Amino acid sequence: MNVTHAKKVCPVERSGSLDSSFRRLLQNPRRILEPYIKPGDKVLDFGCGPGFFTLEIAKLAGSSGQVYAADLQEGMLEIVRTKMDTARFQDRIHLHKCDESSINLNDTVDLVFAFYMIHELPDQLMTFREFMKILKPGGKVFIIEPDFHVTQSDFDNMLIRLQSAGFRISERPKVFLSRAVLLEKTS
């Protein structure tokens, strides 16, 4: 991992701030995700961190659904492992370690969910092209970025890259303190 990118990634040591009851009040995972996940869906929680959204995705996808909790850091995946064992979701949540240059997922999914992490990517376009490969036909990408950290201009440029990778905007959900977009795979 290059040093400049490593500084952008939230360290495991600060993961507690990503998974608090106060945050749950402001950014309730069920309220954010429920309209977009149905029973039986396969979902990639891309950049899952400590799993703030992962368990809720597993609940919404139901016993016939699957969740890939993917992160760059093994320490974050260990936190998710503890949570999924406690919640008894070992059958629906699969931990997946990405590397800096690729997701390397050998399955297809209905939805890619990326919360507050696309701005950390060293090559967004390359990742968006990889999203295209792992999404089923008609699959969707739900991206939420922090409006206090990602400018409107940066967000708009990200949308241009997504569209050049083959996605079309289908919705702009409202998420507290955030810029959000739901995109659909076009081909």
Side-chain angles (χ1 to χ4, degrees), residues 46-72:
F46 182 62
C48 66
F52 182 74
F53 290 95
T54 307
L55 294 183
E56 196 59 47
I57 293 169
K59 290 175 189 172
L60 291 168
S63 59
S64 60
Q66 299 291 306
V67 181
Y68 290 99
D71 205 277
L72 186 64

Side-chain angles (χ1 to χ4, degrees), residues 98-139:
C98 301
D99 62 48
E100 186 176 323
S101 62
S102 182
I103 302 167
N104 287 324
L105 187 65
N106 295 319
D107 199 358
T108 56
V109 298
D110 299 290
L111 177 72
V112 173
F113 178 68
F115 191 93
Y116 282 25
M117 60 80 47
I118 295 296
H119 64 275
E120 296 178 351
L121 296 173
D123 188 341
Q124 289 182 4
L125 185 56
M126 182 177 68
T127 301
F128 298 156
R129 287 178 179 147
E130 196 167 358
F131 286 172
M132 283 296 281
K133 291 177 185 174
I134 62 176
L135 278 168
K136 295 177 181 177

Side-chain angles (χ1 to χ4, degrees), residues 124-172:
Q124 289 182 4
L125 185 56
M126 182 177 68
T127 301
F128 298 156
R129 287 178 179 147
E130 196 167 358
F131 286 172
M132 283 296 281
K133 291 177 185 174
I134 62 176
L135 278 168
K136 295 177 181 177
K140 297 185 178 181
V141 176
F142 189 7
I143 296 173
I144 304 172
E145 288 287 274
D147 66 5
F148 52 86
H149 186 68
V150 175
T151 67
Q152 186 63 53
S153 175
D154 288 341
F155 193 78
D156 290 343
N157 287 331
M158 178 198 70
L159 292 176
I160 291 167
R161 287 187 284 281
L162 280 155
Q163 290 168 323
S164 72
F167 291 98
R168 73 169 179 80
I169 298 170
S170 60
E171 189 178 334
R172 290 186 183 248

